[in-house]
Amino acid sequence: MEDRSPVLVVHGGGAGSISLERKERVRQGIIRAATVGYNILKEKGSAVDAVEGAVVVLENDPEFNAGCGSVLNVNGEVEMDASIMNGKDLSTGAVSAVRSIANPIKLARLVMEKTPHCFLTDQGAAKFAASMGIPEIPGEQLITERSKKHLEKEKLEKGVKKPDCQKNLGTVGAVAFDCAGNVAYATSTGGLVNKMAGRVGDSPCVGSGGYADNLIGAISTTGHGESILKVNLARLTLFHVQQGKTLEEAAGLSLDYMKSRVKGVGGVILVSKTGDWAVKWSSEAMPWAAAKDRKLHFGIEVDEMTTIDLP
Ligand code: GLY
Ligand code: GLY
């Protein structure tokens, strides 16, 4: 079969207002991740390889709420969630409440490929990581000055009602369509600042944090985890695609539903089974980038899109 034109889309979480200085770092990070993922696809890598590769870049970037840079829970600790899915056979892997590894998305992929299960949590996930040779790192290595300040501020403002989008910044994710026509998604997060220990969000839950099916497309979500879980935002959006809506329409319908039904805001990135793509959010902003046909499009705020040529 003839090769298709590959597509890679990434997001760096929904967000409230971002300072100008930070915005530039976020923009560079998102461009780097999209470029790494797209290069994997151009070299005939699989959609799964590409979404994992892109998300690893974002987990390693302290600007984002995943891996190093994850937000802190009420005890000042990092607990991370991640999931990945292969649209070819619907295989999926997820981990939650993992603490001392650099790249939860790599562990999620190992759960998908090396265990008979879909989802491992906490101690079991940690033991599995060790058995796969993933190095344990000191938890402090994942903690940044920004995440410490963020927790302090949150504790001081406890009781002050804030929009969801300001509590949860910078979950990361990717979707891909590869040269063979396969789709995949990956999502990774430190979750919600000041969350209870053991709180699990939407990101590791297939159908909420993402979904991928070659017969429909792939999606990764970001936003207020409890709201996303309640409406199964990822699968709900793909349901609308299955019903014949365009990606844009489907994303609009499911984000509107989440807002009206549970007052939740968030964002989604999508690829279709034919390699179309879309990004949409109901939070104030969402850093995103999409690579296709050797062009890279990116933006953060509503109505902002820049396009550059890729080598
Ligand atoms: N609404 C933000 C996030 O998930 O990052
Ligand atoms: N959307 C990420 C979280 O709420 O954990």
Side-chain angles (χ1 to χ4, degrees):
M1 197 188 294
E2 204 183 304
D3 272 2
R4 336 280 171 93
S5 182
V7 187
L8 192 288
V9 191
V10 293
H11 69 76
S17 53
I18 310 177
S19 71
L20 265 186
E21 186 212 341
R22 178 143 186 264
K23 203 178 251 180
E24 195 42 45
R25 293 197 300 272
V26 164
R27 187 170 308 171
Q28 290 310 323
I30 212 86
I31 291 173
R32 216 167 21 244
T35 309
V36 165
Y38 186 61
N39 285 344
I40 293 172
L41 295 174
K42 272 197 322 195
E43 283 155 25
K44 304 284 152 70
S46 69
V48 170
D49 286 337
V51 292
E52 182 191 12
V55 165
V56 163
V57 172
L58 295 166
E59 285 179 335
N60 292 344
D61 187 330
E63 290 304 324
F64 299 93
N65 174 16
C68 176
S70 285
V71 296
L72 305 179
N73 70 12
V74 66
N75 302 325
E77 297 159 340
V78 165
E79 287 188 334
M80 302 168 291
D81 300 334
S83 64
I84 190 164
M85 187 169 192
N86 185 346
K88 192 175 180 176
D89 58 3
L90 307 191
S91 58
T92 177
V95 292
S96 67
V98 293
R99 291 157 172 261
S100 303
I101 59 170
N103 298 112
I105 201 63
K106 288 190 186 176
L107 188 58
R109 182 169 182 179
L110 289 168
V111 170
M112 173 168 85
E113 293 180 349
K114 307 283 184 202
T115 80
H117 306 304
C118 292
F119 199 151
L120 291 180
T121 191
D122 198 16
Q123 293 304 312
K127 274 200 188 131
F128 173 63
S131 77
M132 288 283 114
I134 293 186
E136 194 176 327
I137 57 167
E140 302 82 69
Q141 221 163 291
L142 301 169
I143 298 179
T144 62
E145 277 311 306
R146 193 167 56 85
S147 61
K148 283 190 209 163
K149 285 204 189 104
H150 191 181
L151 179 64
E152 268 168 39
K153 190 162 172 260
E154 195 63 32
K155 288 196 168 185
L156 278 175
E157 291 173 1
K158 205 169 185 300
V160 179
K161 209 164 158 34
K162 282 191 189 174
D164 297 335
C165 58
Q166 286 177 20
K167 290 192 217 147
N168 186 350
L169 310 173
T171 292
V172 307
V175 293
F177 173 85
D178 68 24
C179 297
N182 299 306
V183 298
Y185 93 85
T187 305
S188 182
T189 190
L192 208 59
V193 65
N194 206 23
K195 64 187 180 182
M196 290 170 71
R199 178 266 190 188
V200 174
D202 59 302
S203 304
C205 298
V206 171
S208 291
Y211 203 81
D213 183 342
N214 278 6
L215 303 183
I216 318 168
I219 174 168
S220 169
T221 70
T222 175
H224 183 241
E226 283 68 13
S227 302
I228 294 173
L229 277 167
K230 286 172 190 167
V231 303
N232 283 192
L233 184 64
R235 197 61 186 82
L236 178 64
T237 309
L238 289 189
F239 166 78
H240 290 307
V241 175
Q242 265 178 308
Q243 300 293 307
K245 301 290 185 214
T246 65
L247 298 183
E248 280 277 331
E249 288 166 350
L253 283 169
S254 62
L255 287 169
D256 284 351
Y257 185 75
M258 186 165 82
K259 200 179 232 172
S260 63
R261 196 73 180 85
V262 295
K263 299 193 175 66
V265 298
V268 296
I269 56 173
L270 289 148
V271 286
S272 73
K273 63 180 181 185
T274 53
D276 294 325
W277 62 272
V279 299
K280 205 170 186 73
W281 60 95
S282 53
S283 48
E284 247 177 78
M286 182 180 81
W288 65 272
K292 183 178 180 178
D293 296 330
R294 292 180 189 269
K295 289 207 184 301
L296 182 74
H297 315 277
F298 56 90
I300 297 183
E301 312 271 354
V302 178
D303 294 334
E304 175 196 344
M305 180 168 102
T306 307
T307 300
I308 54 176
D309 290 321
L310 290 169

